[in-house]
Amino acid sequence: MLEQLTSILDNVIYLDIETTGIDEKSSEIIEIGAIKIKNGIITTYKTLIRPRGRVPIEIYNLCTGLTEKELLGARSLNLIKSEVLEFLEDIPLICHNGNFERRFLEYNIPEIKNKILDSMELAAILEPWKKEFNLDSLVKEITSLNKNELHRALDDCIDTLKVVNSLLCRQWAREEQNKKKKTLYFILNNDYNYLKKWGWTKYLLKPLFFSDEDYPYVNYEEYSKDEVKLKKVEIDYSLYEELLKHEDIWNNGGDFGYQYRKDQKEFSKKIRENFEKQERIFIEAPTGSGKTFAYVLIAAIETYLNKQKNRKDDSSFIISTNTKELQNQLIERDIPTILKKLRLDDKLNYGAMKGKGNYLCIDRLNKCESLEFDEKGNLSLLFLRRLCEDGKYGDIENISYWAQKHFELDKYLKDVNCDSEQCKLEKCIKPCYLRTRYNDLPNENITVINHSLLSCWPYCEKKKINHIIIDEGHNLMEKCYDFFAEEFSSFEFLELLDMIEKGHPSILAMLLNLNASFGFRETIEKDKLNYLVNDIIVNINILINDFRSMRLVTGEYNFTTEFFIPREDLQGITKVLGCEISVLKESIYPLYKLINDYISNITQDDEINGDTDYKNISDYVAKLKSAFDILDKFLEKSTYYAKILEVDSEYKTFVLKNVPLNVGELVNEQMLKEVKSTTFISATLRIENSFNRMKRHLGQNNAKEFLIPSTFDLKNRTKIFALNNVGRYDEPGFIKKISKFIFNTAQKLNGHILVLFNNNARRLAVNEELEILTRGTKIEVHTNKKSIGALNDKNRIVIILGSKGFFEGIDVPGDALNCVMLDKLPNYSPEFPILRAITTYQKKGYQDVNYPQLCIKVKQIYGRLIRSTFDYGYFIILDPGQNSYTIRNLERDLGGPNIELAPTNKILSEIEFNYNNWKRNNINIILKNLKKNNKNIEQNFNNEAKKHKMFWELYKIENEQYYFKNMNFKLKGKI
Ligand code: SF4
């Protein structure tokens, strides 16, 4: 294979290492591989290194073909050092994700002083629009090699070499196609002088006698998944949801695995009727009922038919979701697939619309260049500039996570994202992504947004919301408090004061400009402005000092309280702090007045409205006024608002919030005022078997309702336990006891466990305990959401420890997830400010406020377990608390079996029995189905099992006996 290698670059070494972990101080290098290209001659080097410590089992799984025997027989690091150094000479090293190699080499072989070039960084600069830059995705996307990363040092070097060749070939091909544009090499040497020294710059010059025939594996196309070819079918769109019966439409192309479900048709029908009658409806549709399909179908057909009839108002739908994951799934998978199957993909437009701050501003980015950054900053700006040059990118959320971290984009994004209350989008003539999206809006038939944007829909001039589907609607219950809250943040306000005093251009410079342009008479006295700004800063600091001297913060958490209803021992704070907040408020007014008076003097001139300086100053005025008003409202006790004071745990900042308690009115006034039809959808909208609480809360008492019953046999395919022998979550010993229980359960179930925590400190403490318990075993413990995929590997024994962010949106069907645990019931703390305000002002009981949110969260968590009819498993509440009211109500609302209070040993002794029964049951179902359809069992079983995400494999049938295997079990015998 090596003889066939050709490298564009000469006098470089491709190097890769395999290690026992990611931390260079606690992990070791176990393999080094390198390819040297020196004066056109290619030589290679590879060695294993004997580790001193333990090698985690996942490393053997990860590194293809690596065995413990081989490793233990290898030479030690000390013995291979000199030959490594001799091979590397002082030639530059190319590593993929070079920072990783740099850290490990510096720590373990500090004698290596070679310059390191990162091919991942090169990929990000050359093709910044990609979502992933890891070696595996690059091999798949920019080469035709069609292989997986082996995670062996020399193999990965070969892949890196081919990736670098491909990146350069593709770059030069793009430059060839667009000869009018300057080449990147030219730009870096002439326009961006500061990047001349960037390690990759000199390699970007196309060699004189370059021939791309030497690199036949380069994929010059933009990566796209194989297009599925569809047969021509006639579709009668006037059938609407009846089309769901036509399996030929949905299985056209053979990639959908569609089966008709009556409930799904009923569901679609309700959405259509709601649209046509212009009403509001709440629909609870359980997981797996095909809800997205059901509503996208109606949105597509209704918009298409109404578009044909020129009914503009009815030819567009808005779909609002809570999570980014669902938004992406809709835009990248569900909507395009359904439109394609319906043959409407070339007739309807769709897209996602985000808040302004999510878009890159090309204008601000251009201006940013004048700011002085260090070399790293300049590279980050180059990355962003190249993103913009591509012309179709602008969505900050879609920038790869690795690139965000590597280029430290968080530092710059606030300077280069859209920050314009001032830009008149309609008239803006600058290249501007937001304007492009904004102008697309009227022609879009399906627009996907999120709930937060819906709460203030800033694009109403361009697109009126006529018909909306609010998916994940249950989230509005708590989120609406945030959406409609007004807040004064000391941090943001200090930033505003800083801009007023020292911004570029300064307010004084802006006023001078206005003087020059509009003949304005006076200008602000600098000293007065500084005096007023300082006065406010002093008052903010006095407050922060007061918080500190009152010792409001205990432990590592931020302090939060209802300002007028604090807990017993803090009753005095309202009076003391009220005076200080009032002084702060009063000190804002003179500054507001000073600037407002100046600006008011020149508003006679019409032309001034288009002036940037005028807009900037007006923006300051509006923000000062708003801060004054929020503080004014905060200080007034009101039964309609919770007044919340938050102080950060380090006493650096504080926030004062006015949170409206009757959010229903605001939902109607601000979200749905002119909307014709609204569909609220979720798997968890009902509380106490009724939609009433949710409807009341969201101000939708008259809305219709529809329930799709669960098709899953929750009673027989799940078991719910609550532990009664590990004590309360805050008692000493709890962490140790539950860690032991999680560990024992993982051994019984071979992992595939998700443990969810209400509190991150508890999650970390359990992680620490499990690290000790799992040492020397094959059990892996992960805390990162990205590791969820590890559950799907039948050969790995995985426990995932998740925080609140894992309560929703985790979708792991089949054998991959068979146990979900929850550390404690998600009760509101009695100190939770909104709860205190509601119970005090609206005279409601604690459970009245607490239970609805708890019920929805626990239903969501339980829902992680069952995603298809083949799913099964345990839901275990580690600390159920002592409130039997909650447990009884949950039993009713979860719709599963009774919640069994049991000690850990009882659960552990039963667990294997149920687990095997559920698995046998699934095997039976598959076998019966295959027999019923006269399909050959031996040939089809494993495919069917795989389709339903089951790990069992049939490996032989002998004398009518079926032999199955997975990693620990062998099941023989006739089923
Ligand atoms: S609207 Fe204005 S600030 Fe926003 S991206 Fe466009 S040009 Fe930039």
Side-chain angles (χ1 to χ4, degrees):
M1 179 194 275
L2 287 173
E3 297 83 66
Q4 296 161 11
L5 280 182
T6 332
S7 170
I8 295 178
L9 306 182
D10 198 8
N11 293 319
V12 289
I13 292 176
Y14 287 87
L15 178 129
D16 186 59
I17 57 172
E18 300 303 330
T19 62
T20 57
I22 54 169
D23 174 36
E24 71 278 11
K25 296 195 177 107
S26 55
S27 315
E28 298 180 70
I29 301 176
I30 49 172
E31 189 174 33
I32 297 179
I35 303 174
K36 177 153 67 180
I37 304 110
K38 190 175 175 187
N39 302 324
I41 298 168
I42 297 185
T43 46
T44 62
Y45 173 84
K46 73 170 175 177
T47 184
L48 287 174
I49 301 169
R50 190 174 69 237
R52 292 184 302 270
R54 186 181 79 99
V55 179
I57 184 72
E58 62 264 29
I59 299 299
Y60 293 111
N61 290 332
L62 188 74
C63 303
T64 314
L66 180 69
T67 64
E68 194 172 10
K69 195 173 161 208
E70 263 184 307
L71 260 190
L72 296 180
R75 291 172 297 160
S76 69
L77 183 67
N78 275 339
L79 288 180
I80 56 99
K81 264 187 186 176
S82 58
E83 67 184 38
V84 171
L85 288 166
E86 195 182 322
F87 184 84
L88 298 185
E89 306 175 48
D90 58 354
I91 299 175
L93 308 178
I94 297 177
C95 309
H96 204 72
N97 195 10
N99 280 343
F100 182 80
E101 269 78 9
R102 182 176 293 117
R103 281 192 288 110
F104 270 87
L105 294 179
E106 271 173 13
Y107 190 77
N108 291 286
I109 320 179
E111 298 86 341
I112 297 179
K113 303 282 184 216
N114 305 44
K115 183 174 172 182
I116 294 183
L117 294 168
D118 185 355
S119 47
M120 206 154 164
E121 184 176 275
L122 175 74
I125 292 293
L126 295 189
E127 307 198 8
W129 47 86
K130 293 216 169 309
K131 285 194 178 168
E132 300 276 357
F133 296 106
N134 61 58
L135 194 56
D136 211 29
S137 357
L138 288 173
V139 168
K140 288 194 176 106
E141 291 189 16
I142 66 170
T143 76
S144 54
L145 297 171
N146 196 14
K147 63 187 284 266
N148 291 324
E149 191 177 349
L150 297 177
H151 293 285
R152 294 306 300 266
L154 189 57
D155 296 285
D156 291 356
C157 283
I158 298 172
D159 287 350
T160 308
L161 181 146
K162 290 185 175 173
V163 159
V164 169
N165 286 346
S166 301
L167 284 167
L168 293 171
C169 287
R170 281 161 63 95
Q171 173 67 19
W172 293 329
R174 279 193 298 271
E175 288 173 355
E176 195 63 33
Q177 267 174 16
N178 205 340
K179 281 194 171 139
K180 280 189 198 148
K181 268 182 148 184
K182 297 175 193 166
T183 65
L184 183 58
Y185 177 78
F186 180 90
I187 292 172
L188 293 182
N189 276 290
N190 298 283
D191 300 353
Y192 304 156
N193 238 319
Y194 43 77
L195 283 172
K196 246 184 191 169
K197 287 196 198 124
W198 179 46
W200 284 103
T201 301
K202 66 173 180 180
Y203 298 110
L204 295 174
L205 180 65
K206 190 173 173 182
L208 267 182
F209 301 107
F210 171 77
S211 160
D212 55 8
E213 282 170 13
D214 296 336
Y215 313 98
Y217 49 81
V218 179
N219 179 10
Y220 286 94
E221 303 294 318
E222 263 316 301
Y223 174 74
S224 65
K225 295 214 172 90
D226 290 343
E227 275 280 299
V228 179
K229 297 264 181 298
L230 300 189
K231 282 188 280 181
K232 236 186 163 178
V233 279
E234 282 305 313
I235 299 175
D236 178 358
Y237 298 108
S238 65
L239 290 175
Y240 294 98
E241 65 278 357
E242 292 294 326
L243 288 175
L244 290 169
K245 289 182 181 162
H246 296 230
E247 292 188 12
D248 53 328
I249 297 177
W250 310 108
N251 285 327
N252 192 359
D255 57 332
F256 217 42
Y258 175 82
Q259 274 182 333
Y260 170 66
R261 278 173 289 177
K262 195 164 168 275
D263 280 341
Q264 195 180 30
K265 195 195 81 176
E266 287 305 303
F267 180 11
S268 278
K269 186 175 169 204
K270 288 286 170 195
I271 297 171
R272 176 177 59 78
E273 287 172 353
N274 192 60
F275 171 90
E276 287 168 358
K277 291 181 193 162
Q278 306 195 357
E279 292 179 332
R280 293 183 183 177
I281 191 167
F282 278 66
I283 301 179
E284 184 173 288
T287 321
S289 57
K291 64 185 167 72
T292 321
F293 190 175
Y295 67 67
V296 174
L297 171 82
I298 295 302
I301 297 181
E302 284 290 7
T303 50
Y304 173 62
L305 294 179
N306 282 304
K307 190 177 167 189
Q308 284 195 318
K309 290 175 198 155
N310 271 333
R311 289 186 193 145
K312 201 160 183 324
D313 277 2
D314 297 328
S315 58
S316 77
F317 256 94
I318 299 276
I319 298 173
S320 180
T321 74
N322 182 56
T323 56
K324 199 167 80 181
E325 285 83 5
L326 182 54
Q327 255 191 41
N328 289 342
Q329 183 194 308
L330 278 160
I331 290 294
E332 288 164 15
R333 195 189 73 190
D334 296 345
I335 298 176
T337 312
I338 294 168
L339 292 189
K340 193 166 175 205
K341 300 278 180 192
L342 282 171
R343 303 222 155 243
L344 292 175
D345 46 334
D346 55 348
K347 300 182 182 71
L348 297 179
N349 302 315
Y350 64 92
M353 189 73 205
K354 315 218 166 152
K356 292 179 181 179
N358 273 302
Y359 292 90
L360 282 174
C361 174
I362 300 170
D363 190 42
R364 294 187 81 205
L365 187 60
N366 287 338
K367 286 179 185 154
C368 234
E369 265 202 293
S370 58
L371 300 176
E372 280 182 19
F373 290 108
D374 53 15
E375 192 179 314
K376 180 119 198 179
N378 283 320
L379 198 59
S380 310
L381 274 182
L382 176 68
F383 172 82
L384 290 169
R385 282 192 64 84
R386 287 190 51 80
L387 254 184
C388 287
E389 274 164 24
D390 182 54
K392 59 189 174 199
Y393 205 101
D395 183 348
I396 289 170
E397 261 181 10
N398 276 340
I399 296 178
S400 119
Y401 177 75
W402 177 84
Q404 288 226 18
K405 292 278 155 222
H406 182 75
F407 296 113
E408 297 175 0
L409 295 185
D410 286 351
K411 273 208 249 170
Y412 310 106
L413 286 177
K414 70 175 180 8
D415 293 320
V416 296
N417 68 350
C418 173
D419 174 34
S420 179
E421 295 305 318
Q422 303 144 34
C423 277
K424 271 238 178 266
L425 275 174
E426 296 271 19
K427 294 184 183 160
C428 178
I429 49 160
K430 300 162 189 159
C432 163
Y433 290 117
L434 178 62
R435 185 175 51 91
T436 312
R437 277 302 292 127
Y438 182 72
N439 286 338
D440 282 347
L441 275 180
N443 300 323
E444 223 158 66
N445 304 97
I446 303 176
T447 304
V448 180
I449 64 173
N450 63 33
H451 297 344
S452 160
L453 200 62
L454 173 66
S455 69
C456 60
W457 188 234
Y459 309 113
C460 49
E461 301 149 29
K462 208 69 178 172
K463 190 176 192 98
K464 218 177 124 219
I465 300 182
N466 289 311
H467 300 282
I468 184 152
I469 290 164
I470 303 178
D471 198 350
E472 301 178 320
H474 63 276
N475 282 291
L476 291 182
M477 184 167 207
E478 283 191 312
K479 291 265 161 117
C480 275
Y481 291 121
D482 287 339
F483 294 157
F484 302 126
E486 302 161 339
E487 68 175 49
F488 172 93
S489 147
S490 67
F491 176 77
E492 282 170 21
F493 197 71
L494 286 172
E495 277 199 334
L496 173 71
L497 293 180
D498 196 52
M499 279 301 288
I500 291 176
E501 210 181 7
K502 303 177 197 137
H504 296 283
S506 72
I507 194 165
L508 301 170
M510 287 194 274
L511 282 166
L512 280 175
N513 284 344
L514 287 177
N515 261 338
S517 312
F518 300 96
F520 177 55
R521 296 169 306 280
E522 306 159 64
T523 190
I524 286 181
E525 294 157 43
K526 192 173 179 215
D527 291 348
K528 189 164 182 187
L529 183 95
N530 292 351
Y531 171 80
L532 294 176
V533 167
N534 283 340
D535 195 29
I536 301 172
I537 295 173
V538 167
N539 289 327
I540 287 178
N541 286 332
I542 289 176
L543 265 167
I544 289 180
N545 284 336
D546 281 351
F547 300 146
R548 191 179 285 117
S549 58
M550 287 173 176
R551 296 173 193 268
L552 293 183
V553 176
T554 47
E556 61 199 276
Y557 297 107
N558 292 351
F559 169 81
T560 175
T561 183
E562 211 302 332
F563 189 64
F564 292 100
I565 326 165
R567 53 173 211 251
E568 289 280 300
D569 56 322
L570 292 174
Q571 296 290 332
I573 65 165
T574 311
K575 207 166 168 197
V576 179
L577 295 176
C579 295
E580 307 287 10
I581 295 167
S582 179
V583 172
L584 169 64
K585 180 192 82 171
E586 293 306 332
S587 65
I588 293 171
Y589 191 78
L591 182 64
Y592 152 72
K593 181 138 181 13
L594 177 81
I595 305 176
N596 190 44
D597 282 355
Y598 278 99
I599 205 89
S600 306
N601 276 344
I602 41 172
T603 48
Q604 319 304 339
D605 192 332
D606 267 357
E607 268 182 44
I608 202 162
N609 288 324
D611 186 278
T612 311
D613 292 328
Y614 177 74
K615 281 178 184 167
N616 279 336
I617 300 179
S618 302
D619 187 38
Y620 294 157
V621 168
K623 284 180 176 158
L624 289 169
K625 176 74 169 61
S626 160
F628 178 86
D629 289 344
I630 291 170
L631 292 182
D632 196 46
K633 195 180 208 176
F634 183 85
L635 290 166
E636 193 184 309
K637 190 172 175 179
S638 156
T639 54
Y640 297 107
Y641 288 87
K643 303 294 174 73
I644 303 177
L645 161 66
E646 278 174 19
V647 181
D648 95 291
S649 58
E650 291 175 16
Y651 293 106
K652 286 190 179 145
T653 60
F654 65 91
V655 176
L656 303 168
K657 282 190 207 170
N658 303 319
V659 182
L661 300 178
N662 299 323
V663 290
E665 287 168 19
L666 295 160
V667 168
N668 285 318
E669 279 166 25
Q670 295 189 26
M671 269 188 180
L672 305 177
K673 195 165 179 201
E674 292 180 25
V675 175
K676 291 190 189 177
S677 78
T678 308
T679 306
F680 295 88
I681 298 178
S682 165
T684 51
L685 282 173
R686 291 179 321 136
I687 297 149
E688 294 165 351
N689 277 340
S690 153
F691 288 95
N692 288 346
R693 273 178 182 271
M694 188 65 86
K695 282 165 67 174
R696 258 201 318 271
H697 183 69
L698 298 179
Q700 310 299 316
N701 289 346
N702 297 326
K704 298 206 160 142
E705 50 192 63
F706 183 63
L707 170 71
I708 299 184
S710 174
T711 46
F712 305 141
D713 184 3
L714 295 175
K715 284 199 182 350
N716 288 311
R717 295 189 64 94
T718 64
K719 285 216 157 241
I720 311 181
F721 290 111
L723 298 188
N724 62 3
N725 67 333
V726 292
R728 299 303 315 275
Y729 69 96
D730 50 359
E731 283 172 6
F734 180 76
I735 297 292
K736 271 198 183 325
K737 285 181 199 162
I738 63 167
S739 303
K740 184 87 182 127
F741 175 67
I742 296 166
F743 173 72
N744 288 337
T745 312
Q747 285 186 314
K748 293 262 181 189
L749 298 181
N750 294 307
H752 307 291
I753 295 176
L754 173 65
V755 190
L756 299 173
F757 294 84
N758 285 271
N759 161 303
N760 206 32
R762 248 188 324 273
R763 179 166 77 133
L764 296 177
V766 168
N767 189 26
E768 268 178 32
E769 282 295 321
L770 283 173
E771 259 180 25
I772 300 166
L773 289 169
T774 55
R775 215 165 270 166
T777 72
K778 290 187 172 183
I779 298 175
E780 301 169 38
V781 184
H782 296 268
T783 51
N784 192 315
K785 211 172 186 177
K786 288 197 166 170
S787 307
I788 287 286
L791 290 170
N792 292 313
D793 188 337
K794 69 176 180 219
N795 297 315
R796 290 165 75 177
I797 307 178
V798 173
I799 303 170
I800 304 276
L801 305 181
S803 56
K804 284 183 182 168
F806 292 57
F807 285 14
E808 299 186 18
I810 302 280
D811 194 358
V812 188
D815 286 346
L817 180 64
N818 45 42
C819 179
V820 173
M821 299 190 194
L822 175 65
D823 65 338
K824 68 182 273 292
L825 292 175
N827 287 305
Y828 276 151
S829 148
E831 299 307 322
F832 178 55
I834 294 176
L835 175 120
R836 278 181 92 83
I838 297 176
T839 49
T840 308
Y841 299 140
Q842 298 180 353
K843 310 280 180 244
K844 288 187 179 170
Y846 169 82
Q847 283 302 356
D848 231 14
V849 188
N850 177 55
Y851 184 72
Q853 62 86 29
L854 177 142
C855 169
I856 283 174
K857 285 178 190 150
V858 179
K859 276 170 87 175
Q860 280 289 334
I861 294 165
Y862 182 45
R864 298 308 103 209
L865 198 56
I866 304 291
R867 318 296 294 170
S868 83
T869 45
F870 280 84
D871 284 7
Y872 58 88
Y874 300 93
F875 176 41
I876 304 174
I877 304 163
L878 302 172
D879 170 14
Q882 285 158 340
N883 194 322
S884 54
Y885 165 91
T886 309
I887 295 287
R888 271 200 322 275
N889 280 329
L890 270 180
E891 268 178 348
R892 177 198 56 213
D893 286 330
L894 293 180
N898 285 345
I899 300 175
E900 201 181 319
L901 277 168
T904 46
N905 56 0
K906 181 170 186 284
I907 298 172
L908 288 168
S909 66
E910 281 182 15
I911 224 162
E912 237 167 330
F913 174 75
N914 297 318
Y915 176 63
N916 287 329
N917 257 354
W918 285 321
K919 279 180 180 284
R920 280 199 183 99
N921 206 296
N922 280 342
I923 292 174
N924 253 327
I925 297 171
I926 293 183
L927 286 174
K928 272 188 192 157
N929 282 343
L930 289 173
K931 275 185 188 161
K932 201 170 108 193
N933 297 320
N934 288 327
K935 289 197 174 167
N936 181 306
I937 290 176
E938 206 158 7
Q939 281 170 10
N940 291 294
F941 182 88
N942 287 347
N943 269 349
E944 278 300 299
K946 214 169 169 186
K947 201 163 98 190
H948 298 294
K949 314 275 186 225
M950 289 166 56
F951 292 162
W952 286 88
E953 280 168 35
L954 176 69
Y955 70 96
K956 67 173 176 182
I957 305 176
E958 223 171 62
N959 303 327
E960 288 193 46
Q961 301 272 312
Y962 299 95
Y963 292 80
F964 297 94
K965 62 172 181 186
N966 73 356
M967 58 184 177
N968 267 2
F969 297 95
K970 283 205 170 22
L971 180 72
K972 291 182 203 163
K974 209 169 169 180
I975 307 292

